[in-house]
Amino acid sequence: MGKVHLMPQTFELASGEKTKLVFQFDETVGGYGYSLVQDDGQKKQIVSAELQPLIRGDRFNLYPQSIEQVTPHLLKLSGTKSENGAVLFAWSGTVASDPGTGWLRFEIELAGEGGLTVGATRLEPEITIGLGELPPYERGDHVWFKTNIDNPTKWNDEARGNDFPACYYYDSYKKFGVMLFFDMSAMGWMAKAGVARFLHYRCGLRREYENGSGSLEIGLLGDTPVQADIPLDGTRFVYGIRCLSMEEPPTEQSAVVDLVEACLHFAPKETATPPNADSWRQFSVKCAEDLLNTDACWSNNGAYDMLIPYVNGISPAWEESFRAKGLSVDFRNQPGLDAALMMIHPLTELAHSSNAPVYAELRDKVWKFIGNMADEFLGGRPRVWGTWQYIYLLQEWWRAAWFEEDAGTCTRIEEEVKQIVIPMAKRCSYMFPLSFRVPELVKHGNGDNYPAAGAYSYFMLLLYKATKDAEYLQEAERSLKVLLQLPVNSLHQESFLLSMAVQAADGLGKETGDAAYGEAYRYLLAQNLRMMYWYDDPGFPDYRLWGMFQACTPMLYPAFFENIECTARIVSTLKGKEFSEGLLLALNQARTNNFYCFPRCLPDRYRLSELDYIPLENLGTLEDDKTGYAGQEIYGAGQTFRAAMLWDEWLVSADPGIYLMNMDGYELIRKSEKRASRTFMVVNLEPVEKVSRLSTNIPGAKVAVYKDEADTGEVITTDEAGDLILRLSPIERLLLTIPAAV
C-alpha cells in the first residue's frame, strides 16, 4: 500500500485482545489521527478519544501526513510540524505490532537544525492516550471500580522515585484496559540539555475538567511548566501501547502483576561489558583484599579494630547533609557494625567453600569486631533504631552464626527476637514504622517502612525452619498477610525488603502447601521489579543502569548493595518455577551492569580512593547526578561476595552470550553439613546455537542435565581441567546439578 496524501484512507494494526490501532485521515489537522477500537468480529467500538496525535504539546501534536503499510505488522509514518506558516521540523517513524505479546511499539525521530524551546505554558512534549469523556458518576461508581497503576513508585504518599516508566488503566464501563511503557534509554531529550525526566514527569492518569464534561488521559504526563530547549536532530520518542479487553475488572494487585510481566518484553538482549571488568570471582577476591586495607577501611578506638562505613571515612553526601543541620560526622571514628553484619553471611560461606585464603583472613577479622560490639547491639539498650536495619542486621547475624554453628550467638539473637522484635511487630500490627525506640517499642519520628514486614516474615521463616518453634511460622504468615493487604502504592521504601518478601512467599508456599502464596509470590515479585531500573540513562554515557535497583523511592539513584540483594534473592526463588525470558534478560543486565559501580570500571573522575574493588554506593542519574557522592560503601562491599556466589564462583563461561546463575545461594545450611551438589541455570541468550565450554574446577565431576525441570538422563563428566562442553539451542535454558567440592 503506497503513500496517501489527498484521499482519506484507513490503516490498521492489531493490538492485544480484540483491539486495533486505527489511523484515519483528519482534514482539520491535515494528517492521520489514531483511535483504539475494540473489534470482536461482531461489533466495533471506539474505546479511546478519536483522531489523536502521536505526541502532544503546543509545539508538537504530531499527526502523520504520510503512511505506508510495509507489512501487516509494520507502518512507516512521516510528516512535518509547522508554526506560523514555517516548518519547525520534519519527523519520521514506525509503528510495529507484535502479535505474540500484543504490544505496539512506536519509534519517532525528529530532524531539523538547532533546538526547540518548550514549556512556556505547559510542560511538553507529552505522550498520552486520550480515553474520552469522563464516565457518568465519575466521582462515585467510576472511582470505585476503575483500576489505575501509576508510576514511578513513591513513598509516604509523596516522594517519587525514578524507576518504572509505565502505567495501566482499566475502564469498567467500556471493559477495556490499556498499558503504556516508555523507553527512557532511547529518549535523549530527557537530559540536562532538555527536560529533567521524573523531576517533572510521571506515568499515569490525568483528569481534565476544561472541556464540558471533562476527559481522561493516560501516559507520560508533565506536572509543572518548565521552559527548556530540546535539540531537534535525532531526538526520539519510543514507547509501547498494549490494549486489553476484559469482562471483569482486574484488582490493583493483579494489574501490577500483569503490567510488570508484560513490560519485561522490553528487557534488552544486548549488554555492554564495562572496561576492565573481569569475573565476579576475581572482583570478589580483590574486594576482600581491599577490605583488609587497615588505613582505608579500619580504625581503632583504643580497645579494638573497627570496620568503618566508608573507605577513608569519606562520604561527601553525608557530610553535606550533616552540615545543613549544623552538625558534623566523623566516619573515621564511627564503628561500622552494620558494615560488618551486612557482609558476614556471604563472607562466612565463601571462606568455607573457596580456596582463596583472603576470605578466611577477612572473616576472622570481621567476626572479632562483631564480637567486640555485640553488647552494643543486643540486650535492649535504650536507643532509636531504623526498623529495617534492626531486623535485617539481626537476620544476617543469626544466619551467619547458624552456618558457623555458634549456638551461643544464635541463642542471644533469638532472645532478642522474643523480647524486642516480635513484641514490636505485634504492637505496630506488622505495619512497621521507619524508626522505633527501644525499650518502649514505639514509633519514633515520621515515616513508614511497610516492606520491613517482608524482611520480618523471611527472618521468622528461617527461625522456624531452624528451630521448629510454631510461633515463628505464625509470625511469618501474619506479617506477610498484612503486607499483602496494603495499597499497592504503599510498599516502596527499601527495594530489597521486597525481595525478602518474595523469598518469604516462596518459602511459606513450600512450608504450608497453601497455593495462595503462589499468587502472593507473583505480586511481590512484580512490586520488587517496579523498583528496578528499566532503562539506561542517556545523559550518562560512562555507565549503564538497566537491571539495577533504586535503593529506596526518594533516593533517585541505583545503589550497589540493593542491586545485588534484590537480584540474588530473586534468583534464589526461581528453582522449580516458570518465568519469562524477559526476567532472564533483566538479570543478565544486572550481571553485567553492576560492574560499573566499581572505580576499576569507571573513568578516573569517579575515583574516591586508591581502592579499585570496593564499590561506589550509588551511580548518579539525571535526577541526582552526583555519581558516588555517598562514598565507597564498605557496608555494601560484601555484596561483591554475594555476586560471585550468584554468577561465577563455582561455574564459569568465557562466552558473554551464555548466562549462568547459581539457583541455591540462600539455602539454610550449616558448615558441618556436606553439600551434595549445587544447581545452576545455564541459558543461551542468543538466537543461534552455541557450543560452550564451562569450567567447574572439579575434574571428573559427573554433571546431571535437566530441561524444564525434568531429568534428561544425560550426564556429562568434566575433563582433567574440570571443564565440560555444552551444546545449547537458541534461547535454550538448562539446569545443571554439579557435585560440590565443599
Side-chain angles (χ1 to χ4, degrees), residues 691-707:
V691 178
S692 184
R693 178 178 293 273
L694 310 180
S695 176
T696 70
N697 286 330
I698 310 176
K702 295 190 181 300
V703 178
V705 181
Y706 294 76
K707 185 172 183 179

Side-chain angles (χ1 to χ4, degrees), residues 24 65 67 104 106 155 196 227 316 381 407 600 645 665 672 678 722:
Q24 290 180 299
Q65 293 159 330
I67 298 181
L104 295 164
F106 296 73
W155 172 66
Q227 187 163 308
R381 295 190 176 198
R600 173 75 175 165
M645 294 165 67
S672 64
R678 289 189 172 91

Side-chain angles (χ1 to χ4, degrees), residues 587-625:
L587 296 171
N588 189 44
Q589 292 292 322
R591 174 185 66 159
T592 301
N593 291 345
N594 273 287
F595 281 117
Y596 286 110
C597 294
F598 292 82
R600 173 75 175 165
C601 299
L602 291 169
D604 285 345
R605 64 179 173 275
Y606 299 115
R607 184 176 297 278
L608 300 178
S609 78
E610 295 303 310
L611 302 184
D612 274 349
Y613 296 94
I614 295 181
L616 299 174
E617 178 170 339
N618 63 286
L619 294 176
T621 65
L622 173 60
E623 289 79 3
D624 197 348
D625 64 354

Side-chain angles (χ1 to χ4, degrees), residues 223-466:
D223 273 348
T224 307
V226 176
Q227 187 163 308
D229 291 324
I230 294 179
L232 284 175
D233 200 47
T235 285
R236 300 176 69 210
F237 302 92
V238 183
Y239 59 97
I241 296 176
R242 184 172 184 263
C243 301
L244 308 98
S245 295
M246 302 167 63
E247 286 299 313
E248 295 296 326
T251 67
E252 289 88 347
Q253 289 194 354
S254 68
V256 169
V257 173
D258 292 345
L259 176 60
V260 171
E261 291 183 352
C263 289
L264 283 169
H265 167 73
F266 292 98
K269 292 180 171 61
E270 300 78 18
T271 60
T273 303
N276 301 318
D278 197 332
S279 66
W280 283 105
R281 178 197 292 178
Q282 179 74 5
F283 268 56
S284 179
V285 169
K286 293 291 187 182
C287 179
E289 292 172 353
D290 278 357
L291 286 168
L292 283 168
N293 186 308
T294 302
D295 293 334
C297 300
W298 295 79
S299 187
N300 189 285
N301 64 3
Y304 51 81
D305 287 342
M306 308 183 306
L307 200 63
I308 58 177
Y310 292 95
V311 172
N312 290 328
I314 296 172
S315 176
W318 282 112
E319 290 163 11
E320 181 181 333
S321 176
F322 274 73
R323 221 171 20 248
K325 297 178 180 180
L327 304 172
S328 62
V329 60
D330 181 5
F331 283 124
R332 283 292 308 169
N333 291 301
Q334 179 173 325
L337 180 60
D338 56 348
L341 293 175
M342 285 175 170
M343 73 173 63
I344 195 58
H345 176 229
L347 174 59
T348 298
E349 288 212 22
L350 263 185
H352 179 66
S353 61
S354 172
N355 58 9
V358 66
Y359 293 128
E361 183 182 356
L362 180 62
R363 174 201 60 194
D364 293 346
K365 190 173 179 67
V366 173
W367 268 126
K368 186 175 181 180
F369 169 50
I370 292 171
N372 284 324
M373 287 209 68
D375 290 342
E376 295 295 319
F377 197 131
L378 302 175
R381 295 190 176 198
R383 168 164 186 180
V384 172
W385 277 103
T387 306
W388 80 254
Q389 290 92 336
Y390 179 76
I391 294 172
Y392 174 81
L393 295 177
L394 276 179
Q395 179 264 154
E396 289 293 286
W397 192 358
W398 178 87
R399 184 160 199 155
W402 177 261
F403 178 83
E404 290 280 36
E405 301 178 47
D406 179 353
T409 297
C410 285
T411 298
R412 288 191 70 187
I413 293 171
E414 289 161 26
E415 289 172 353
E416 189 92 351
V417 168
K418 294 280 190 177
Q419 294 169 9
I420 296 177
V421 183
I422 293 176
M424 187 265 292
K426 289 181 176 179
R427 181 166 292 187
C428 69
S429 300
Y430 310 100
M431 297 178 68
F432 290 92
L434 191 63
S435 302
F436 75 102
R437 291 202 309 271
V438 175
E440 300 93 331
L441 307 185
V442 296
K443 180 175 182 176
H444 174 82
N446 296 320
D448 58 66
N449 199 345
Y450 299 147
Y456 176 85
S457 179
Y458 182 62
F459 189 14
M460 295 300 106
L461 179 62
L462 293 180
L463 290 170
Y464 170 73
K465 292 174 72 172

Side-chain angles (χ1 to χ4, degrees), residues 704-714 733-737:
V705 181
Y706 294 76
K707 185 172 183 179
D708 299 326
E709 302 294 328
D711 189 347
T712 64
E714 182 180 3
R733 62 180 84 169
L734 297 175
L735 287 180
L736 304 182
T737 300

Side-chain angles (χ1 to χ4, degrees), residues 518-553:
E519 288 304 305
Y521 171 87
R522 287 181 67 202
Y523 166 63
L524 292 166
L525 176 59
Q527 286 284 27
N528 198 182
L529 293 174
R530 280 177 80 183
M531 297 194 73
M532 182 175 71
Y533 274 82
W534 292 68
Y535 56 91
D536 294 317
D537 199 323
F540 295 82
D542 295 323
Y543 48 82
R544 297 192 176 197
L545 307 177
W546 231 110
M548 296 187 183
F549 282 82
Q550 195 161 253
C552 59
T553 296

